[in-house]
Amino acid sequence: MELSEHIKTANVEDVTLRRPFHPALRGTLCVTSHHLLFSDRKDEASWQLLILLKNIDAIEKSVENLFGYPRAVGSSGTITIKCKDLLVLQLEIPGMEECLNIASSIEALSSLESVTEMYPFFYRPSHLTLNGPWGLSSTEQYYKQTERLWDRWRVSTVNSDYSVCPSYPSAVIVPREVDDDKLIHSARFRQGGRFPVLSYCHHRNGMVIMRSSQPLTGANKKRCKEDELLLQAVIDGSELGYIIDLRSAQQAQQARMTGGGFESKSFYSHWKRIHRHHERGKVVQESLIKLVEACSDPSHSVDRWLSKLENSKWLSHVHSALSTAGLVVECVERDGHSVLVHGSEGTDNTLLVSSLAQLILDPASRTVTGFLCLLEREWIQAGHPFQQRCAHSAYSHARLKQECPIFLLLLDCVWQVWRQFPLALEFSEALLLRLAQEVYASNYGTFLCNSEQERCAAGVKENTHCLFQSLLRPDIEEQYLNPLYEPTDLAIWPSVHPQSLQLWTGLFLRWTEYAQNMEEAREEVWSIVKEHHEQAGPDRTNNTLSTHCDTLTSFENLMDELTIL
Amino acid sequence: MEHIRMPKVENVRLVDRSSSRRTHVGTLYLTATHTIFVGEGSEDRNELWVLHSLVCNVVKHKASQSGYPLLIHCKNFQVIQFIIPQESDCHDVYISLSRLSRPEKYEELYCFSFNPNVDKAEREHSWDFLDLKAEYSRMGLPNKLWHVTPINREYRVCDTYPADLFVPKSVTLPVIVGSSKFRSRGRFPTLSYYCKENHATICRSSQPLSGFSARCLEDEQMLQAIMKSNPGSRFMYVVGTRPKLNAMANRAAGKGYENEDNYCNIKFQFIGIENIHVMRNSQQKLIEVSALRSPSMGEFLTGLENSDWLRHIKSIMEAGLFISKAVAEEGVSVLVHCSDGWDRTAQVCSVASVLLDPYYRTLKGLMVLIEKDWVSFGHMFSHRCGHLIGEAKEVSPVIDQFLECVWQLMEQFPCAFEYSEKFLISIHNHIYSCHYGNFICNSQKERKDLCIKEKAHSIWLHLWEKKLDFMNPLFKPDQSQNQGLLRPSTAPYCFKYWRRLYNRFDRELHPRQSELDCLMTVKEETQQLEEELALYEQKMAVLDKERAKTLYMQKGVLDSKQALWSLPLDISLANTPQDYIGGAPNVFTLQQGERESAELCLFGDQTKSSDADNSDQESGVADFSSHSSGEESLPSEDSVKDPDSDETGPNRA
């Protein structure tokens, strides 16, 4: 079925658009295969609103004369559009039939299942070309750039045809002394084939963060010699490594009943296991839904608001993610031990914790490029199932399948770190907000599919543009810079006390008056810093001043001589 | 002095609250005014000074194996825990401190012994720094409708009011006297704020003694006159800031509220704010929540909700917003009262003023506002802050709530205030410290009787001189949305927990880098550069003239002054690890000793990590702690060491 067949009414005139903090507008509404376009009819400087249909999470329609009060002159209907970026719009559409047609087009076109029908495959801006490399870096390039890995680590292409682990990239970094054969065995012993691979090697002490999925020990405590050897090779003779298991001890025990399990002390004698409970899947998605619901009603009493905020548990998830990341960092940086992180599948909380730990530890991941590379490495290539996790956001009425806002949770945690270290990150909140939007609906192919294998099959790299590359174009990157950035080599340990963690107002209250005043503050920060650059810029002022000093000194010398004379 | 049973105790341990494993050994001294702890060790100045007047209560805890713990809770929310080796010493310190922190007479308060090195003229100058007459004339008063009545010059009509009061010109003295007899404590309606642009006013009073049916002609005339002094409006609002039920109950006691039938053209409006007892209990709960050690997110939020504190803040804000909108948008005058007109009335009038008038969003403006609406109008500081031993039921954080409302507004309007939250926190500290004379006693009359101005100093000039510390770099007075009326949102999510106040001394809870401090430095530097550039240009101009007279030129050597311009951004770059282990205490037992020594930094600043040379990351930590003394001026200002201790001398008994 062609996409255009979903469109029964393409154009409606005299539509009224209502959105928060703007007067209502009248104009024309168009539905295309991928967009909703509203343009007002003012003669000059016409204003347009273009919404990706994929950004629409839910629509609610109310048609006025459903109950048998036909009006003489036409009927009308209202569509409420709730977007995945949390914006809520209302469209008043004259004509009941048009209204229903538009609503059904939106419903059909906003939930396309086929990847190649999605907008990134049609997005062809004039300033970008499809030729050339896609993405910022590959495993091989990362390895080449990271000299400290060369000694003990190697790139394995055992997964080049994605047969060993379908959700891993074709190349992964593993201990040099472990051959591909052992990797294959270890993969069979791990859920989804996600055998332990290197995630980060600490620049100060060479300790590493590894990640994997749970071992398939099952009820009868199976073991896998190769897996044990692989982990033994990771710590390479040092006496201790830590396994951070992102489930409670009880949950890990229970997992054995369904074939999963954990690394037992007797077989992994040099590894110490720590259990930290993290919520996953549906629970986290429901948290997001509850939180957004709580934020959407400003008429609540304070008590009700606080109890809804508490009840959503969103901040508790932020709290656990940052605490566990802090624990990992403590193991690596403070105690000098390597760490293996995993939960069950190793595609969600595992990535959350390992990437947060890197942000805290590694100055290189706090630049714009470094942060995007981190996301590419630890989320895109590492096989976070974006398509499943971000199919719906907080407003959707659809039955939950595999949705889970773990990536949003990561962005929130990064925001918390930025609040506590406002000078330590090169990027600003604006980048996090942009990513929060792009992950749900995008012109770019970066967040499509669930793994590299799927992206290959769909031809994502050949047929779409890469978001990260486009964010790094100098003119674009500038909007995402932190004006106060002052790089530091040290670890930035965030405080995880509940008193220190805050609601991410920039995201969750983005469309309220609250956010508008913050915008003013941000502009002021920029103008203060710009003014300073103008005064103290290395070129202008220093030049002027040194010329001045130059002349002054010579004159002063002259004057001295004159006085002596 | 006679209260000090034990002037000095050795081998006392000061427990770091963020981690009870960290303690510092030292000597405890009790002086007439301070408790001083001097840490042992090579570091030069590890001292903790606590003013007795800031001590809220002292509690002995059950003996532990290391000694006898003594907990001191301060009114600025600092909590200090000492462990004293001998039980008798602990008891003596406890008894002494309990007595020292509860003075019986005003004369015992610190402001009477505080003697900075200034002469009489300077002291008088500090009192003259703020002039309420100038403030009223800034508002445009007196004018043809309002004037100062001499009636309370001797505090005979109302002993809790100031001597100078503005009333409509049209009211006669008998009307004032009659009205005052019909109001609780004689607090008749008088002007608090006048809006030059539209002549609308905010007036304040206490409740009328109306009972169920009593009337007072003079009082009705008084309100009529106030209404008529605003020529543009046909009615006025009377805002009752008590919950309606409370106000109605008061009628049974012969008090109550204005009956709309008896007063012409008033609209009565209830905006329920709870009484001082409810507020006291609410803050107590909030303090307990803030002092929880590593609570879960749920415990914290539930505790915050159960305290009801933010709900009360919201109700005060809403009352202020109602009044400011009535004045600015409707041009209607408002009379505000609660029961006595010195607690909720003061809160609401001053919040409304901050919303209405950008002047009160400047440093000096806020000082004037507090001096006017709180100090001069007889907010009972001594009772509410518990300066003297007395009725515990009179204590209530009424002014805390006002300061917090201002803070909540600053959070919503980051560019609208000249001052930063440090200013509010500093004021808060000094309201309770009794360091200066401003917030002593319960009324202007009492202060006059006690000759406060002759015996003590005023805080305002002191704060003004330190104003660079209190500036908000984001302040943009010329921005249109920051002029005139502020329209804050009162959506529940706009009310936040004030961590900087309630966890002021828990350093590990606060951001390790300060955006505002950094911006302030940048801004100052920009200005400095501009000035220097101007100076050079000036010099150039002079020298150019000289050049004309000179016959020969000589090449000089470039003095490389570039080094001057390198950015001295003093940014603390790292942080110490937090307690991430929480539920798994047995994990790091092996490394415990090592970590503890690395984290040992007394009072969080000054001290460098003792074994900083071990490895790279350790030096990172040390680097941070040495940086932080410069960065975090906030907690170190009043707590770690008394800021004015230099002026007082060591004071060691």
Side-chain angles (χ1 to χ4, degrees):
Chain A
M1 190 173 169
E2 282 287 308
L3 290 183
S4 55
E5 286 171 38
H6 291 292
I7 304 171
K8 288 173 210 141
T9 302
N11 260 303
V12 197
E13 302 280 335
D14 263 337
V15 173
T16 309
L17 167 77
R18 292 177 206 283
R19 50 195 179 123
F21 304 102
H22 292 278
L25 280 176
R26 282 168 84 81
T28 310
L29 184 72
C30 301
V31 186
T32 72
S33 306
H34 293 105
H35 288 99
L36 200 61
L37 173 69
F38 176 91
S39 53
D40 73 352
R41 291 179 304 175
K42 288 207 186 90
D43 306 330
E44 54 211 72
S46 94
W47 179 85
Q48 291 194 332
L49 177 73
L50 187 67
I51 295 180
L52 261 181
L53 289 171
K54 183 140 189 272
N55 188 15
I56 296 174
D57 205 24
I59 70 169
E60 286 153 22
K61 46 187 185 279
S62 67
V63 181
E64 278 194 1
N65 58 358
L66 269 183
F67 304 104
Y69 304 103
R71 268 194 236 151
V73 192
S75 52
S76 76
T78 305
I79 300 182
T80 305
I81 293 182
K82 299 186 168 178
C83 298
K84 291 170 182 165
D85 62 7
L86 308 182
L87 176 66
V88 177
L89 298 172
Q90 279 190 330
L91 293 166
E92 271 172 40
I93 299 169
M96 183 170 75
E97 199 188 331
E98 284 82 355
C99 178
L100 293 175
N101 282 346
I102 295 225
S104 74
S105 305
I106 294 176
E107 270 165 0
L109 291 167
S110 62
S111 51
L112 298 175
E113 297 271 335
S114 153
V115 175
T116 49
E117 283 185 343
M118 291 179 183
Y119 186 61
F121 282 87
F122 300 90
Y123 178 60
R124 296 289 176 267
S126 54
H127 61 277
L128 294 175
T129 57
L130 281 175
N131 309 322
W134 198 92
L136 305 177
S137 174
S138 65
T139 310
E140 288 89 349
Q141 280 166 315
Y142 177 69
Y143 181 81
K144 263 184 221 145
Q145 286 158 7
T146 319
E147 201 176 327
R148 57 181 182 270
L149 292 175
W150 297 351
D151 204 15
R152 291 188 45 226
W153 301 84
R154 69 183 181 97
V155 173
S156 162
T157 50
V158 67
N159 197 37
S160 56
D161 57 356
Y162 307 109
S163 60
V164 176
C165 171
S167 62
Y168 268 170
S170 56
V172 290
I173 300 173
V174 293
R176 188 169 277 284
E177 60 187 81
V178 178
D179 58 31
D180 282 357
D181 200 40
K182 287 205 186 85
L183 296 179
I184 293 170
H185 280 96
S186 168
R188 282 190 203 132
F189 185 62
R190 295 271 172 181
Q191 181 170 0
R194 294 178 71 93
F195 56 91
V197 296
L198 179 121
S199 153
Y200 171 69
C201 176
H202 192 33
H203 61 97
R204 283 190 204 283
N205 56 15
M207 292 301 136
V208 297
I209 300 175
M210 306 284 292
R211 53 179 161 73
S212 69
S213 60
Q214 64 177 341
L216 302 172
T217 51
N220 16 345
K221 297 197 177 173
K222 266 188 296 189
R223 56 188 288 196
C224 169
K225 201 75 199 152
E226 291 80 2
D227 192 73
E228 290 162 25
L229 286 171
L230 171 55
L231 286 188
Q232 191 57 44
V234 168
I235 47 175
D236 183 38
S238 81
E239 63 211 49
L240 192 65
Y242 284 104
I243 296 172
I244 312 283
D245 193 322
L246 306 175
R247 304 163 294 178
S248 65
Q250 197 192 359
Q251 282 173 320
Q253 280 288 355
Q254 280 165 355
R256 287 176 47 213
M257 297 305 127
T258 50
F262 50 89
E263 295 82 355
S264 83
K265 188 79 206 152
S266 37
F267 305 146
Y268 299 85
S269 54
H270 289 293
W271 289 83
K272 193 160 192 171
R273 219 173 52 245
I274 304 172
H275 289 276
R276 303 304 291 276
H277 174 66
H278 284 251
E279 294 292 354
R280 43 199 286 263
K282 214 174 188 175
V283 179
V284 185
Q285 178 72 18
E286 274 164 4
S287 286
L288 178 69
I289 293 172
K290 285 184 191 161
L291 176 63
V292 169
E293 200 268 321
C295 291
S296 61
D297 192 350
S299 66
H300 285 320
S301 71
V302 174
D303 302 4
R304 195 160 161 70
W305 154 250
L306 285 173
S307 99
K308 281 179 163 245
L309 178 64
E310 195 272 311
N311 203 18
S312 81
K313 300 273 183 256
W314 180 262
L315 284 172
S316 305
H317 305 322
V318 171
H319 180 257
S320 357
L322 281 171
S323 318
T324 309
L327 178 66
V328 171
V329 174
E330 202 157 287
C331 294
V332 174
E333 155 106 11
R334 187 44 81 92
D335 298 316
H337 294 297
S338 289
V339 176
L340 167 69
V341 184
H342 71 70
S344 313
E345 289 115 342
T347 53
D348 296 284
N349 281 319
T350 306
L351 307 182
L352 174 66
V353 167
S354 74
S355 44
L356 274 177
Q358 291 180 52
L359 186 83
I360 297 170
L361 271 175
D362 183 12
S365 67
R366 299 179 210 138
T367 63
V368 178
T369 316
F371 181 61
L372 295 179
C373 284
L374 176 73
L375 295 182
E376 186 178 63
R377 218 170 52 239
E378 289 293 281
W379 290 80
I380 312 280
Q381 293 167 358
H384 176 67
F386 279 104
Q387 196 181 335
Q388 292 172 358
R389 299 293 183 254
C390 301
H392 290 288
S393 172
Y395 291 122
S396 172
H397 306 301
R399 202 171 56 85
L400 292 183
K401 284 181 263 173
Q402 307 217 43
E403 290 81 359
C404 179
I406 286 287
F407 188 72
L408 221 49
L409 192 58
L410 169 84
L411 297 178
D412 196 331
C413 292
V414 176
W415 181 81
Q416 307 281 352
V417 172
W418 168 69
R419 287 301 301 156
Q420 297 191 24
F421 295 89
L423 318 182
L425 306 181
E426 193 196 16
F427 50 90
S428 67
E429 183 181 14
L431 181 69
L432 302 176
L433 289 171
R434 172 84 191 264
L435 291 168
Q437 190 165 15
E438 295 284 342
V439 73
Y440 282 98
S442 177
N443 293 342
Y444 300 90
T446 300
F447 294 116
L448 291 180
C449 303
N450 297 306
S451 64
E452 196 169 279
Q453 185 186 20
E454 286 185 25
R455 273 186 291 273
C456 264
V460 167
K461 292 189 184 180
E462 294 76 31
N463 296 304
T464 73
H465 295 286
C466 169
L467 172 69
F468 295 162
Q469 280 173 335
S470 118
L471 290 176
L472 286 176
R473 287 178 36 214
D475 52 324
I476 311 280
E477 190 190 0
E478 199 181 343
Q479 343 166 5
Y480 300 116
L481 292 179
N482 173 6
L484 302 177
Y485 178 52
E486 188 77 4
T488 161
D489 267 346
L490 304 167
I492 48 173
W493 311 82
S495 157
V496 296
H497 296 265
Q499 290 98 320
S500 312
L501 301 177
Q502 292 172 306
L503 178 72
W504 185 8
T505 48
L507 178 69
F508 295 108
L509 304 177
R510 189 174 186 178
W511 309 105
T512 67
E513 70 257 64
Y514 188 87
Q516 297 183 328
N517 296 326
M518 300 307 130
E519 193 50 49
E520 184 197 351
R522 266 192 292 279
E523 279 165 20
E524 183 58 20
V525 171
W526 268 110
S527 85
I528 291 174
V529 173
K530 276 190 182 137
E531 204 180 319
H532 184 266
H533 285 324
E534 274 163 30
Q535 286 297 327
D539 325 315
R540 197 179 82 83
T541 324
N542 277 359
N543 282 343
T544 337
L545 286 175
S546 57
T547 358
H548 284 196
C549 291
D550 199 357
T551 347
L552 272 175
T553 335
S554 59
F555 273 112
E556 270 157 8
N557 290 346
L558 194 65
M559 298 304 287
D560 285 351
E561 280 175 36
L562 284 176
T563 343
I564 296 166
L565 283 173
Chain B
M1 282 301 167
E2 71 272 26
H3 308 304
I4 302 172
R5 290 188 174 198
M6 194 73 197
K8 179 179 171 187
V9 188
E10 282 174 344
N11 283 321
V12 171
R13 301 208 294 155
L14 173 68
V15 182
D16 188 325
R17 285 193 68 239
S18 62
S19 148
S20 50
R21 279 178 269 134
R22 285 183 242 165
T23 58
H24 315 292
V25 180
T27 308
L28 187 70
Y29 298 92
L30 286 185
T31 75
T33 55
H34 288 84
T35 305
I36 305 162
F37 176 82
V38 182
E40 280 164 15
S42 53
E43 295 302 327
D44 34 358
R45 284 166 72 106
N46 289 327
E47 296 176 11
L48 175 74
W49 290 56
V50 184
L51 256 179
H52 294 325
S53 38
L54 272 174
V55 173
C56 183
N57 63 49
V58 192
V59 189
K60 277 198 292 183
H61 273 205
K62 256 206 212 115
S64 67
Q65 33 186 196
S66 46
Y68 297 84
L70 191 69
L71 226 68
I72 303 176
H73 293 266
C74 298
K75 292 171 180 173
N76 57 7
F77 312 118
Q78 186 171 21
V79 181
I80 301 157
Q81 187 178 356
F82 292 120
I83 296 177
I84 298 172
Q86 299 296 322
E87 187 176 14
S88 60
D89 289 346
C90 179
H91 186 70
D92 284 345
V93 172
Y94 168 76
I95 295 289
S96 315
L97 255 183
S98 300
R99 174 61 189 84
L100 288 166
S101 62
R102 288 156 193 264
E104 287 162 0
K105 302 191 295 283
Y106 280 124
E107 286 73 14
E108 293 176 35
L109 292 176
Y110 182 49
C111 61
F112 295 104
S113 55
F114 170 58
N115 186 20
N117 196 10
V118 293
D119 59 24
K120 182 163 170 273
E122 279 176 84
R123 195 194 63 229
E124 280 164 3
H125 175 60
S126 82
W127 284 107
D128 293 338
F129 175 68
L130 287 191
D131 175 12
L132 287 186
K133 217 172 252 168
E135 166 59 9
Y136 286 108
S137 78
R138 185 195 67 85
M139 290 185 207
L141 298 179
N143 64 9
K144 61 183 196 305
L145 294 165
W146 293 87
H147 71 158
V148 180
T149 171
I151 200 161
N152 204 38
R153 284 275 147 84
E154 308 294 323
Y155 306 106
R156 282 205 195 113
V157 176
C158 173
D159 61 356
T160 58
Y161 263 175
D164 292 334
L165 289 160
F166 277 87
V167 292
K169 246 183 191 166
S170 55
V171 296
T172 57
L173 293 184
V175 167
I176 299 176
V177 173
S179 168
S180 86
K181 287 193 173 134
F182 189 63
R183 296 270 169 183
S184 275
R185 318 264 181 171
R187 292 173 72 95
F188 58 88
T190 172
L191 180 131
S192 163
Y193 179 75
Y194 173 76
C195 178
K196 231 185 321 201
E197 285 74 32
N198 59 15
H199 310 296
T201 54
I202 303 175
C203 293
R204 56 186 288 173
S205 71
S206 60
Q207 62 185 338
L209 303 174
S210 54
F212 289 102
S213 58
R215 295 182 61 165
C216 168
L217 197 61
E218 289 92 340
D219 196 60
E220 288 163 26
Q221 286 172 343
M222 184 80 177
L223 262 67
Q224 185 73 3
I226 290 174
M227 198 267 287
K228 288 217 163 123
S229 302
N230 178 6
S233 79
R234 301 244 169 97
F235 71 97
M236 70 183 283
Y237 286 110
V238 179
V239 172
T241 55
R242 294 168 294 182
K244 192 168 180 181
L245 212 64
N246 302 18
M248 287 169 60
N250 258 304
R251 290 201 297 192
K255 299 165 186 173
Y257 55 95
E258 292 82 354
N259 184 338
E260 282 180 72
D261 300 337
N262 300 341
Y263 292 80
C264 304
N265 306 318
I266 68 161
K267 285 192 183 169
F268 197 90
Q269 183 79 31
F270 278 110
I271 300 181
I273 301 174
E274 298 290 348
N275 64 28
I276 57 167
H277 312 295
V278 175
M279 299 307 190
R280 178 180 58 245
N281 295 335
S282 170
Q283 195 192 40
Q284 195 47 49
K285 285 188 197 156
L286 182 76
I287 293 170
E288 281 162 22
V289 173
S290 73
L292 288 175
R293 300 240 191 108
S294 50
S296 73
M297 201 74 217
E299 281 167 342
F300 175 70
L301 289 173
T302 311
L304 190 59
E305 179 197 342
N306 290 340
S307 78
D308 267 346
W309 181 254
L310 292 177
R311 180 167 71 84
H312 298 314
I313 297 293
K314 179 167 142 86
S315 66
I316 297 165
M317 190 78 92
E318 278 167 340
L321 189 59
F322 174 84
I323 294 164
S324 60
K325 278 186 172 165
V327 169
E329 288 176 353
E330 295 181 66
V332 174
S333 292
V334 183
L335 171 67
V336 187
H337 68 72
C338 44
S339 304
D340 292 315
W342 49 49
D343 293 317
R344 285 169 274 202
T345 303
Q347 287 176 331
V348 167
C349 288
S350 48
V351 168
S353 302
V354 171
L355 291 171
L356 275 169
D357 194 334
Y359 177 65
Y360 299 124
R361 297 171 222 144
T362 65
L363 272 153
K364 193 156 184 195
L366 185 70
M367 297 180 187
V368 167
L369 185 64
I370 292 175
E371 190 66 28
K372 175 170 74 75
D373 276 354
W374 295 82
V375 177
S376 86
F377 270 105
H379 175 66
M380 305 203 292
F381 281 101
S382 280
H383 286 169
R384 296 295 177 256
C385 305
H387 289 334
L388 299 182
I389 184 163
E391 196 64 57
K393 283 200 165 141
E394 287 291 319
V395 174
S396 186
V398 180
I399 190 148
D400 294 22
Q401 290 180 315
F402 164 64
L403 294 174
E404 178 156 343
C405 283
V406 177
W407 178 80
Q408 301 280 2
L409 288 172
M410 285 162 57
E411 286 288 291
Q412 278 199 48
F413 302 96
C415 304
F417 290 81
E418 187 188 26
Y419 41 85
S420 67
E421 67 177 331
K422 288 180 191 170
F423 187 50
L424 302 180
I425 292 170
S426 199
I427 291 177
H428 180 273
N429 195 73
H430 282 296
I431 284 172
Y432 288 91
S433 71
C434 301
H435 199 144
Y436 292 87
N438 306 66
F439 309 112
I440 310 299
C441 303
N442 293 313
S443 67
Q444 200 177 67
K445 179 171 184 291
E446 279 187 30
R447 272 186 294 275
K448 209 161 255 179
D449 292 347
L450 242 141
C451 305
I452 292 273
K453 289 194 180 183
E454 283 83 61
K455 293 177 184 159
H457 298 260
S458 167
I459 176 75
W460 302 123
L461 185 64
H462 167 73
L463 291 179
W464 183 252
E465 281 162 356
K466 284 173 45 175
K467 69 178 170 185
L468 270 185
D469 298 346
F470 302 130
M471 290 293 202
N472 170 18
L474 296 176
F475 181 47
K476 274 179 92 176
D478 38 358
Q479 195 86 350
S480 63
Q481 59 259 47
N482 298 331
Q483 294 167 348
L485 180 65
L486 285 188
R487 289 181 185 79
S489 159
T490 53
Y493 45 68
C494 293
F495 293 88
K496 300 197 245 170
Y497 170 72
W498 192 1
R499 183 186 58 218
R500 281 279 190 201
L501 182 68
Y502 290 104
N503 292 105
R504 191 177 152 194
F505 296 93
D506 302 320
R507 289 176 49 89
E508 74 282 0
L509 297 191
H510 302 295
R512 299 308 161 113
Q513 300 177 326
S514 160
E515 203 172 359
L516 293 188
D517 287 352
C518 170
L519 281 170
M520 207 63 216
T521 324
V522 168
K523 243 183 141 170
E524 275 167 29
E525 214 170 292
T526 310
Q527 204 186 350
Q528 210 181 328
L529 284 170
E530 267 168 22
E531 282 166 11
E532 285 194 45
L533 201 63
L535 196 75
Y536 275 117
E537 269 157 12
Q538 221 173 15
K539 273 195 183 175
M540 282 290 281
V542 175
L543 284 168
D544 274 344
K545 279 185 198 161
E546 294 291 326
R547 193 210 298 252
K549 298 178 197 160
T550 323
L551 295 169
Y552 63 99
M553 274 284 287
Q554 192 180 337
K555 280 257 180 280
V557 188
L558 169 64
D559 178 13
S560 106
K561 292 214 169 162
Q562 275 96 325
L564 274 178
W565 316 109
S566 65
L567 271 183
L569 279 183
D570 181 27
I571 299 154
S572 107
L573 298 176
N575 186 351
T576 46
Q578 307 285 335
D579 181 14
Y580 298 109
I581 305 171
N586 53 347
V587 174
F588 286 111
T589 38
L590 275 176
Q591 285 75 32
Q592 217 69 279
E594 185 194 328
R595 268 195 303 151
E596 230 172 275
S597 57
E599 283 172 17
L600 182 100
C601 37
L602 195 53
F603 314 135
D605 56 1
Q606 294 163 342
T607 325
K608 287 202 176 77
S609 172
S610 52
D611 52 354
D613 45 340
N614 282 356
S615 70
D616 263 345
Q617 70 248 37
E618 234 83 289
S619 74
V621 176
D623 192 0
F624 159 69
S625 49
S626 63
H627 262 298
S628 58
S629 59
E631 180 228 17
E632 281 254 348
S633 61
L634 208 86
S636 58
E637 183 220 340
D638 303 295
S639 62
V640 173
K641 235 188 73 44
D642 193 273
D644 301 291
S645 58
D646 289 350
E647 302 165 60
T648 37
N651 242 335
R652 273 170 217 172

